[in-house]
Amino acid sequence: MPNANNDIPAPQSERSAQSTNALSQVQRRAVSELLRVSPVADDLARRFQEAGFTLALVGGSVRDALLGRLGNDLDFTTDARPEDVLKIVRPWADAVWEVGIAFGTVGCKKSSFDIEVTTYRSEAYDRTSRKPEVSYGDSIEEDLVRRDFTVNAMAVFLPQKEFIDPHGGLEDLAARVLRTPGTPQESFSDDPLRMMRAARFAAQLDFEVAPDVVAAMKAMAGRIGIVSAERVRDELNKLILAAHPRKGLRLLVDSGIAERVLPELPALRLERDEHHRHKDVYEHTLTVLEQAIDLEEDGPDLVLRLAALLHDIGKPKTRRFESDGRVSFHHHEVVGAKMTKKRMIALKYSNDLVKDVSRLVELHLRFHGYGTGEWTDSAVRRYVRDAGPQLSRLHKLTRSDCTTRNKRKANALSRAYDGLEERIARLQEQEELDAIRPDLDGNEIMQILGIAPGPAVGKAYKQMLEIRLENGPMEREAAIAALKEWWATQG
């Protein structure tokens, strides 16, 4: 077998000392990672061996082992058919699932490891199908050539630790480059979603994409249209949640793929002229995303990152050239919230996620709407009430939205927002702002006014909420007096 050995191999061709050192580091990391998972992986492999089949750690698991970042999700490939895999893993695993069996994949859990075993296969789309056609193969080489990128087309046969690398994935890993095992045209024709995976892996691994791969992405961008919205959404999420999303998003835009899956992003590259100046909205958006990431406290936050990415998508539709040379984008946050909702629904996001992200887009300018003056208590209450459970994210988004190079202006905005957060904290302590309700509930309103359930009760409740937001907590007698005073004006 090409490049097969009992250990991670040294490269065959001559290299510089720097490249050789990089490869030796990769090898040491791989040995360490493989030793960690060996008790479970080798035990499973011996069971396949005893049944007359082979088993190899494959794809992303091998790549991540070489990078020193192998987790507890292990991917294997085998010459056993799915029904044979089930016979082998059922007596051994803690749990087994068959949701991917139509595509040749059996999943199982053993101790802390989530394992997938996939029969050697090849799959391809026809020109119109959204679902791949799966056929099983008979050799590891046949399986690896259909993988998306060379760094994912490596395998380690177990338990003997025989390394298989027919397409130079180890060298590409050391060089931090993404190439396809065959031609990129063949690869993307087989599965167009691989074009988005190129951008995702660039964002996750901080790798460069080979020029011929980028060229194929540009030429075949329209092919992404046959992929289902759900698969596009999942790939986009992985990219956005990656360590370097700017890198992947740039590739999607520059290749023309974003025009098909997220057209609002390339639309931010507004034309500029010498008479009407405004900041580059596209570059501003990517910077806001990165600044939002810097403010994350508990790991990647999809809601915050989507809101940062989409917060200004209403600007192209609302751009106006003013007579004094300025450019305005009046109400772009309202327009942007509607556009956000429409795009996220098209990408099959959950209702809750659509609601949360579009709400943040709608509110991202609220802080600036109050100008530089002192915030009233009622303004602070409304800010908290309108943000609701998204208040913490709104804090981060608002701070991230400052990309000015003017340090004095940036510091002034930061201090102003510090002041607002302090005001919110004080009022929250005094008034429990997170659960603002009227001083009188619906039953009390009906009893005081002597009315039955109906629209009038809802109207009165809303009025009492406005009074609560404006004045803060009221004594019961004062609240009753305010209700009666308002009711008298209603005829």
Side-chain angles (χ1 to χ4, degrees), residues 350-363:
S350 69
N351 291 336
D352 286 343
L353 204 63
V354 172
K355 178 183 175 182
D356 291 344
V357 175
S358 58
R359 188 61 169 157
L360 285 168
V361 172
E362 182 181 4
L363 294 175

Side-chain angles (χ1 to χ4, degrees), residues 60-197:
S61 292
V62 176
R63 179 201 69 221
D64 288 344
L66 292 166
L67 291 172
R69 46 176 275 176
L70 180 60
N72 283 12
D73 293 342
L74 304 179
D75 293 327
F76 295 92
T77 188
T78 180
D79 55 350
R81 296 300 191 253
E83 57 272 18
D84 297 313
V85 175
L86 284 171
K87 291 177 183 177
I88 295 169
V89 301
R90 273 190 173 136
W92 173 81
D94 300 327
V96 176
W97 50 91
E98 303 178 29
V99 291
I101 201 163
F103 299 99
T105 298
V106 173
C108 66
K109 188 172 187 67
K110 181 69 172 179
S111 301
S112 62
F113 293 93
D114 289 325
I115 293 168
E116 286 192 347
V117 182
T118 303
T119 302
Y120 296 158
R121 67 187 186 186
S122 59
E123 62 184 30
Y125 284 86
D126 63 28
R127 299 304 298 179
T128 58
S129 174
R130 288 175 179 262
K131 295 183 179 180
E133 299 174 354
V134 176
S135 60
Y136 299 129
D138 297 311
S139 71
I140 188 75
E141 291 82 7
E142 185 181 1
D143 182 84
L144 293 179
V145 76
R146 58 155 289 277
R147 302 273 166 170
D148 50 8
F149 302 103
T150 60
V151 296
N152 296 329
M154 298 177 283
V156 178
F157 272 119
L158 301 174
Q160 65 269 36
K161 308 295 189 299
E162 181 185 4
F163 184 77
I164 309 296
D165 181 23
H167 304 289
L170 185 63
E171 296 179 43
D172 288 341
L173 196 72
R176 305 180 68 81
V177 64
L178 289 173
R179 291 189 306 106
T180 53
T183 69
Q185 290 80 7
E186 290 172 335
S187 181
F188 298 156
S189 181
D190 284 348
D191 185 352
L193 192 65
R194 290 173 178 171
M195 294 185 287
M196 288 193 67
R197 285 200 200 116

